[in-house]
Amino acid sequence: MFGSGRTSALRQAQDRCARDKLATRDGWLVLLIAAACCSSLAQAQAPFPRKPVRFVVTSPPGGANDTLNRALGAKLTEFIGQPVVIDNRPGASGFVAAEIVAKAPADGYTVLAGTEATLVTNPLLFTKTPYDTQRDFAPVTMTASVTHVLLVHPSLPATSVQDLIAVAKARPGQLNYASSGSGSAFHLGMELFKRMAGVDIVHVPFKGSALSVGAMLAGDVQMMLIGTATGMPLARSGKARALAVAGSKRSPAAPELPTIAEAGLPGYEISSWFGAVVPKATPPSVVAKLNADLVRALHSPDLRDRLAPSGYELIANTPRQFSAHMQAQSTRLGGLIRDAGIKAE
């Protein structure tokens, strides 16, 4: 009996020891899990950004979008304490850059430096695109716009928008205008002009602005829309005549010129614009932080002074305002593209 009792006691002691070891092991496991969770939570709650931010730009180095975002990125770096890396991915009408960002991690570290063509016009012109603006992107802010100027060849007897409309109505189908390509902002702007003025002017597309400007200076075409940074030096040199700017208000680059709306076509407005978007699933808190930092940079007087001579008007708005602008532009230009039968090249 004594032997049996001692065996039972020994087993009980062994069981208690095993339970204590299990409890100790489980306790350490719980502590390790808790530590891992705390580490993950700490990382999730760490201030954004913690590493470089990449701006994927739709144009090559030296292009309008690149010039804007290199200047903006340098200013943003000062505020966020992290480098802003410019990643130029031109090609395929902006599809290359847009697809990269649409498929990037939704963490705020990959930003599409888009244009009105990338975000609004291309989805209207092409039957198939590798991204959908509303489905794949979250708007952050509109960053800038560039005003266009309406130029005519000096041989054309028109010194105002009203004169040009009168000449065009008197010579239907006999005047022509140049653009940097079918579906470009300059093409759409002139088609909008024709539609609102009720005139028939023939479109002559070129592969790029340089060729289209050369054709007008040679007198091969009678008129065109072009960015103020390119157009105003031509007008001031006497090589072309500037009639009006195409934006919703007068341009600091050409304060002496009225808008086309002021000069005879109320409601007319078109411009090239740029904006920042991120992958759709990016957390709202990260979008808000990016917006706040970009708005702060865009309000910097030295950045405005640096970009104004090139015709940029800096714009800083909320994600909601930017989204509303894109939707309004899509509706407005979509109708124009359908009615004019405009197709992408």
Side-chain angles (χ1 to χ4, degrees):
M1 290 180 60
F2 290 112
S4 176
R6 283 196 299 269
T7 301
S8 178
L10 180 59
R11 287 177 178 172
Q12 290 176 4
Q14 290 174 335
D15 290 343
R16 283 196 301 270
C17 184
R19 287 196 300 270
D20 290 344
K21 287 182 178 179
L22 183 60
T24 301
R25 187 195 67 186
D26 289 347
W28 279 109
L29 183 59
V30 169
L31 288 173
L32 288 172
I33 292 172
C37 289
C38 288
S39 176
S40 298
L41 183 61
Q43 288 182 355
Q45 293 177 341
F48 173 88
R50 303 184 307 276
K51 60 182 181 179
V53 176
R54 178 170 62 142
F55 274 31
V56 183
V57 181
T58 59
S59 69
N65 199 17
D66 176 75
T67 299
L68 166 66
N69 282 284
R70 284 188 186 276
L72 176 58
K75 178 58 62 175
L76 185 61
T77 295
E78 296 177 17
F79 295 144
I80 66 176
Q82 295 288 348
V84 174
V85 179
I86 302 299
D87 183 4
N88 297 94
R89 296 299 183 100
S93 301
F95 290 169
V96 173
E99 188 173 15
I100 287 171
V101 177
K103 295 179 178 179
D107 54 11
Y109 288 99
T110 305
V111 179
L112 174 64
T115 67
E116 91 285 340
T118 314
L119 298 171
V120 172
T121 310
N122 285 349
L124 298 172
L125 290 170
F126 292 87
T127 56
K128 185 177 181 181
T129 60
Y131 63 92
D132 180 279
T133 300
Q134 291 189 356
R135 181 195 65 210
D136 295 327
F137 299 122
V140 179
T141 186
M142 192 171 169
T143 54
S145 67
V146 176
T147 302
H148 304 160
V149 60
L150 176 60
L151 295 182
V152 297
H153 191 268
S155 64
L156 196 68
T159 59
S160 69
V161 170
Q162 293 285 20
D163 286 348
L164 177 59
I165 293 172
V167 172
K169 286 186 174 179
R171 299 162 60 183
Q174 298 178 39
L175 301 180
N176 49 39
Y177 75 89
S179 84
S180 56
S182 295
S184 66
F186 304 132
H187 177 202
L188 296 179
M190 283 304 301
E191 288 300 314
L192 181 62
F193 181 90
K194 288 169 51 179
R195 183 184 190 184
M196 294 182 67
V199 294
D200 179 13
I201 306 171
V202 179
H203 176 218
V204 182
F206 291 85
K207 292 185 177 181
S209 294
L211 292 175
S212 63
V213 169
M216 201 201 71
L217 294 180
D220 297 332
V221 296
Q222 287 79 48
M223 70 196 77
M224 70 185 306
L225 281 174
I226 195 70
T228 53
T230 300
M232 290 313 299
L234 296 175
R236 288 169 179 148
S237 70
K239 296 179 180 178
R241 184 181 301 123
L243 302 186
V245 293
S248 60
K249 58 184 178 181
R250 296 195 179 203
S251 170
E256 71 277 17
L257 291 180
T259 65
I260 291 176
E262 288 178 310
L265 289 181
Y268 181 95
E269 184 273 325
I270 199 161
S271 63
S272 294
W273 52 262
F274 311 90
V277 299
V278 291
K280 187 70 171 182
T282 303
S285 60
V286 173
V287 174
K289 181 63 166 58
L290 268 174
N291 175 266
D293 291 334
L294 280 167
V295 167
R296 184 183 175 195
L298 289 163
H299 282 160
S300 301
D302 57 333
L303 183 65
R304 291 178 180 271
D305 292 344
R306 177 179 175 181
L307 291 170
S310 298
Y312 296 95
E313 179 185 354
L314 300 188
I315 298 169
N317 56 13
T318 67
R320 184 183 296 274
Q321 289 168 334
F322 186 23
S323 177
H325 176 79
M326 287 191 285
Q327 291 175 7
Q329 289 285 91
S330 180
T331 299
R332 181 171 180 244
L333 295 178
L336 174 65
I337 288 168
R338 286 191 300 272
D339 292 349
I342 299 172
K343 303 292 184 183
E345 292 181 327

